[in-house]
Amino acid sequence: MVEKVITLENIPLLDFLGTGNENIRQIAAAFPQSKIVSRGNEIRIQGRAPEILRINDVLNMLLQHFHRFGHITPENIREYIALEGAPFEENQKNDVIIYGNKGLVVKPKSPNQRKLVESAFKNDLVFALGPAGTGKTYIAVALAVRALKNREVKRIIITRPAVEAGENLGFLPGDLQEKLDPYLRPIYDALSDMVPSEKLKFYQETRVIEIAPLAYMRGRTLHDAFVLLDEAQNTTSEQIKMFLTRMGPNSKVIITGDQTQVDLPKRQKSGLNEALRILKDVKGIGFVHLSGKDVIRHKLVKSIIEAYDKNESQKDIRKEDDQRGKGAVEGTA
């Protein structure tokens, strides 16, 4: 038997605990093998360690929710209890993937984002393709954190090819890790939305969450892990093949990429495009295509993507016209 004490500080007890401690009673009813008692500003939990951890997570999420919204409803409590440890399909009524820090609710915000979530649930390997701002990386990170919280995997591994977008990492100050940290900042930003800072620091120190360049994956077997390869359009054929063959038992893999933003040298082919062609008929692999309609950044981002797509289409038309004109001239000659 283990005991955990949570002290409520700077919070209206009646609003959080409910009239006659009804909110605490509702949580206690969901975990009958444990004993939950509220006295003053303390909540005492007694029971087995695994269930106490779940109750602690539920209470922390409720506290974050209260600090953000100023109230808690019975429905809120049911949602947080259902989220902790429940299979994703049981939570599809509200599409919530995970409740992040300070009451943040992470859920798909477009039909294609929902397709990505569903595909990740059904397949061990998923390719998520689309332009910047469509939320593919953010949703993938949320799915990884959910899997870790629900103990479906033991660790999260997030990697990117170290290819600069027109810049040179060698000119940045610091050692290798300091050079790479800004490049991996979008990953850190997503994680910081979903995992409390102290817990994230602990996870990184114990390598429960690992963020590293793609080259560090060579020679490893990635088992019992949720693995995310981000910016895969910048992998070479050899790199993506190496990565794909790292999958081990009980692994989930999501590969994200934007085929319109390849930063490789001009004569270097994208390994992502080759992998999509080779693997298109392999069963057990999901392919999800997001578009400008899924952009959830500033409204101008969607317009910018549409303008560039239109420009590319016009360039293709001009190229075809030039080729037809050249052929006609050669025919008359």
Side-chain angles (χ1 to χ4, degrees):
M1 186 72 71
V2 179
E3 182 176 86
K4 166 82 175 177
V5 179
I6 297 176
T7 303
L8 304 176
E9 297 179 350
N10 302 319
I11 189 167
L13 298 180
L14 180 61
D15 292 339
F16 183 77
L17 300 175
T19 304
N21 289 344
E22 60 181 328
N23 293 342
I24 296 301
R25 290 207 307 271
Q26 186 177 345
I27 297 171
F31 299 96
Q33 295 181 356
S34 298
K35 183 179 180 181
I36 308 176
V37 178
S38 173
R39 290 177 180 170
N41 67 337
E42 289 187 346
I43 299 175
R44 291 183 176 272
I45 313 167
Q46 294 179 335
R48 294 168 53 201
E51 190 161 277
I52 284 182
L53 286 173
R54 288 189 61 199
I55 296 169
N56 184 65
D57 285 344
V58 169
L59 286 169
N60 281 332
M61 288 190 294
L62 286 169
L63 283 167
Q64 290 168 3
H65 182 101
F66 185 87
H67 284 307
R68 183 174 186 184
F69 300 105
H71 67 275
I72 295 173
T73 68
E75 182 61 26
N76 295 145
I77 296 172
R78 284 193 293 271
E79 287 178 355
Y80 284 113
I81 291 172
L83 181 70
E84 281 297 301
F88 183 76
E89 65 264 38
E90 293 179 14
N91 297 308
Q92 284 186 336
K93 292 179 181 178
N94 55 19
D95 286 337
V96 173
I97 302 172
I98 192 171
Y99 290 90
N101 296 329
K102 298 179 181 178
L104 174 69
V105 178
V106 182
K107 62 168 68 178
K109 296 183 178 179
S110 73
N112 285 327
Q113 286 188 2
R114 189 170 291 107
K115 286 181 182 178
L116 172 55
V117 174
E118 292 171 352
S119 184
F121 180 72
K122 295 175 183 176
N123 301 287
D124 288 338
L125 172 60
V126 177
F127 286 86
L129 312 166
T134 52
K136 53 190 184 296
T137 298
Y138 198 83
I139 293 293
V141 171
L143 287 166
V145 173
R146 186 197 71 85
L148 182 66
K149 289 190 70 172
N150 287 351
R151 299 173 180 82
E152 297 166 13
V153 297
K154 295 181 180 178
R155 54 185 174 153
I156 296 173
I157 299 171
I158 304 175
T159 184
R160 273 184 165 191
V163 176
E164 307 93 326
E167 300 170 290
N168 193 322
L169 289 174
F171 290 103
L172 294 174
D175 58 20
L176 177 62
Q177 189 61 48
E178 290 171 328
K179 291 175 189 289
L180 288 168
D181 276 353
Y183 186 70
L184 296 167
R185 179 48 52 190
I187 304 296
Y188 288 114
D189 288 345
L191 285 169
S192 65
D193 279 352
M194 304 171 200
V195 183
S197 57
E198 287 300 316
K199 201 167 190 178
L200 179 57
K201 182 179 179 182
F202 172 76
Y203 280 157
Q204 288 186 264
E205 289 174 349
T206 56
R207 301 182 75 81
V208 172
I209 295 180
E210 180 181 353
I211 306 173
L214 180 58
Y216 286 26
M217 301 298 110
R218 189 173 299 278
R220 300 175 61 181
T221 300
L222 308 177
H223 57 83
D224 296 315
F226 199 113
V227 189
L228 168 60
L229 170 57
D230 196 35
E231 300 286 353
Q233 75 275 5
N234 290 326
T235 59
T236 64
S237 298
E238 294 78 12
Q239 284 176 327
I240 200 163
K241 180 181 178 182
M242 176 273 293
F243 174 80
L244 287 167
T245 54
R246 300 305 94 200
M247 286 184 69
N250 192 37
S251 287
K252 283 271 190 181
V253 176
I254 295 182
I255 296 175
T256 69
D258 178 359
Q259 294 163 282
T260 68
Q261 291 192 356
V262 177
D263 299 315
L264 293 167
K266 290 183 178 180
R267 295 185 180 181
Q268 180 73 64
K269 293 182 179 179
S270 170
L272 174 63
N273 293 334
E274 182 179 71
L276 293 172
R277 177 178 58 80
I278 293 171
L279 302 175
K280 63 181 180 180
D281 297 321
V282 177
K283 292 182 179 180
I285 300 178
F287 299 91
V288 180
H289 295 268
L290 298 98
S291 68
K293 294 179 181 179
D294 301 295
V295 170
I296 56 175
R297 293 181 181 172
H298 193 286
K299 60 184 179 181
L300 278 177
V301 175
K302 186 179 296 186
S303 300
I304 290 168
I305 291 171
E306 290 172 353
Y308 270 90
D309 287 344
K310 183 178 179 180
N311 180 65
E312 288 298 318
S313 298
Q314 291 173 344
K315 284 168 62 177
D316 290 341
I317 293 171
R318 287 196 296 268
K319 186 176 180 180
E320 290 175 2
D321 289 343
D322 290 344
Q323 289 174 345
R324 280 197 295 268
K326 184 177 178 181
V329 171
E330 290 176 349
T332 56

